[in-house]
Amino acid sequence: MDVPEILDVILVLLFGTGVSWVCQRYRLPAAVAHVLLGVILGGAVLGWVSHGTLIHFLGEIGVILLLGAAGLEIGVERLKEAGSAGIAVALLGILFSLSGGYFLGRFFGSLPPEAFYIGLMLAATSIGIGTQILQQYRLIDHRVGEIVIAAAVIDDVIALYLLAAAHGILSNNAGITDILVHLGGAIALFGSLYWFFKSLTSWLIRFHWLGDSWPLVAWVIGAIFASALLSDALEFSAVVGGFFAGVGIGDGLKRDVRQYSIHAVEPLIWITMPFFFVMIGVQAQWTALSTPGSRWFLLLLLAIAVFGKALGGFLGAAMRKARERWLIGFSMVARGEVALVIATLGLQQGHIADEIFVSLVLATISLAVLGPLLMTPFAKSVAADAKIAGAH
């Protein structure tokens, strides 16, 4: 390891943690801000940071912890509470976005693996960005908020499962028999990881081996990374393994202990997560968008991303008023961490070309802005209705 690489790490650490603080303070999407920071620090603007081995390693740690903590917070109970409306919104949004992204890629000449990753990236949503607007207008406890949160959770769980299956299927050029075997293996593996870590965590809590202290934090972090390493060794996605371990651990803990463990892991995520997203901005070959075809691809990608989720929300939500249904649909438009993880893994595995990767990153950044803008007028209207109904 040479001195410049250490300096790169120091720069990303200093600027990345600063951006994290600003985003938390003002409720901004941290993943998008870190990608933009990477663009500024990388060769596109300042040229201060390059993609080195150590930064790559820290980024892998960060994204595994990030998704592990997301699983820890989600829990299966939130999926059960979704109801038919939340499930319908999620499944329709995934269907429209995944198929639309796939056929767009094929239309522009992408091979099936690349086209699938384009659709899969559009299938994931951002639970954090949409809920910020709902919280601002006090709609989190409204039926709209319940459906949006449940649908966003289901979205990301299904997207991560499909990512895990694609990781092995597309890398091995599998036939139909191999695909079915791999899908069955993914179901068995991640189901087993969930039940194993849930049962073992409950057992450790029952016999007082874990408490509100460092053994609990060590167990959470160790289990997430052990699951990630096992998944990677079995040719599944490491980050998805960490996610399902987090879900299992969370369901094995009581609510207050779960919240303690989430808060305890957050500082480590704060330190390591910026490395992953900053490197997305650093790695992207921004000159790839110089051709007219690339610009048309990006515009059509944004159109499919917006209308796929909006239409899925409008049709899937069992709401009487159209404004509530459109609010649910537009609440699903923003993409965030999971979409960026999918795009980056597709690039690293050689399934996504540089120009497509840049378009996916720019689409994620644009959708993080478009989503709240499209939501706001409908959120104001629904909030006004709720206030009037409450007064009566």
Side-chain angles (χ1 to χ4, degrees):
M1 181 170 55
D2 52 14
V3 174
E5 188 172 353
I6 296 175
L7 292 177
D8 285 350
V9 171
I10 294 173
L11 282 173
V12 175
L13 186 62
L14 290 176
F15 284 105
T17 51
V19 168
S20 295
W21 182 86
V22 171
C23 289
Q24 187 180 55
R25 176 70 175 80
Y26 296 100
R27 297 186 177 183
L28 301 173
V32 173
H34 285 130
V35 172
L36 292 175
L37 175 63
V39 175
I40 295 170
L41 294 179
V45 181
L46 297 176
W48 289 357
V49 174
S50 58
H51 185 214
T53 305
L54 180 57
I55 284 183
H56 179 80
F57 174 73
L58 291 172
E60 291 294 306
I61 291 176
V63 73
I64 289 171
L65 278 176
L66 175 67
L67 290 184
L72 189 66
E73 189 170 8
I74 287 171
V76 169
E77 288 303 317
R78 292 180 69 178
L79 302 181
K80 293 179 181 178
E81 294 170 359
S84 58
I87 295 171
V89 168
L91 293 181
L92 287 174
I94 289 173
L95 175 63
F96 295 146
S97 301
L98 182 57
S99 59
Y102 179 85
F103 286 115
L104 177 67
R106 295 292 285 158
F107 179 79
F108 276 86
S110 295
L111 294 174
E114 183 175 65
F116 179 78
Y117 268 94
I118 294 170
L120 185 58
M121 173 265 176
L122 295 184
T125 192
S126 171
I127 190 172
I129 297 173
T131 52
Q132 287 177 11
I133 303 299
L134 296 176
Q135 190 171 36
Q136 179 182 345
Y137 290 96
R138 299 181 179 180
L139 293 172
I140 286 293
D141 295 329
H142 191 278
R143 177 61 176 162
V144 167
E146 294 175 354
I147 293 174
V148 168
I149 292 174
V153 170
I154 295 170
D155 256 15
D156 286 352
V157 170
I158 294 176
L160 287 170
Y161 171 74
L162 292 174
L163 173 64
H167 180 83
I169 293 169
L170 298 180
S171 299
N172 297 326
N173 296 316
I176 186 64
T177 303
D178 296 324
I179 289 174
L180 293 175
V181 170
H182 203 85
L183 286 172
I187 294 173
L189 173 63
F190 296 122
S192 298
L193 287 173
Y194 167 77
W195 286 109
F196 173 78
F197 284 109
K198 177 184 178 181
S199 302
L200 187 53
T201 301
S202 299
W203 185 84
L204 292 172
I205 289 288
R206 188 180 304 119
F207 288 95
H208 306 290
W209 284 56
L210 302 176
D212 294 355
S213 58
W214 68 266
L216 173 63
V217 180
W219 165 247
V220 169
I221 295 174
I224 288 172
F225 279 108
S227 182
L229 290 172
L230 177 61
S231 299
D232 185 64
L234 296 175
E235 298 187 341
F236 292 96
S237 172
V239 296
V240 183
F243 172 81
F244 277 96
V247 177
I249 295 168
D251 282 351
L253 298 173
K254 294 181 179 179
R255 184 181 295 273
D256 56 336
V257 180
R258 175 191 289 191
Q259 289 303 314
Y260 171 83
S261 62
I262 293 170
H263 291 314
V265 174
E266 278 179 352
L268 192 55
I269 297 175
W270 254 51
I271 295 172
T272 57
M273 184 188 68
F275 288 97
F276 179 80
F277 294 112
V278 167
M279 282 304 100
I280 292 175
V282 170
Q283 289 180 84
Q285 302 295 322
W286 301 100
T287 55
L289 282 178
S290 59
T291 63
S294 297
R295 292 193 286 271
W296 274 111
F297 175 81
L298 176 59
L299 289 173
L300 291 172
L301 185 71
L302 287 172
I304 292 171
V306 170
F307 289 108
K309 290 295 185 183
L311 188 60
F314 183 83
L315 296 177
M319 306 292 288
R320 182 171 56 85
K321 297 180 180 179
R323 70 189 70 170
E324 294 177 336
R325 298 166 79 175
W326 281 121
L327 175 57
I328 290 170
F330 287 131
S331 297
M332 306 296 291
V333 164
R335 272 53 163 202
E337 292 87 345
V338 175
L340 290 172
V341 169
I342 291 170
T344 305
L345 291 180
L347 178 70
Q348 292 174 351
Q349 293 166 18
H351 298 310
I352 296 180
D354 283 330
E355 60 270 19
I356 298 297
F357 175 70
V358 172
S359 295
L360 295 180
V361 172
L362 285 177
T364 304
I365 295 171
S366 302
L367 292 168
V369 177
L370 275 174
L373 289 177
L374 293 169
M375 287 177 64
T376 299
F378 293 97
K380 288 180 178 178
S381 179
V382 173
D385 287 348
K387 188 175 181 180
I388 293 172
H392 288 305

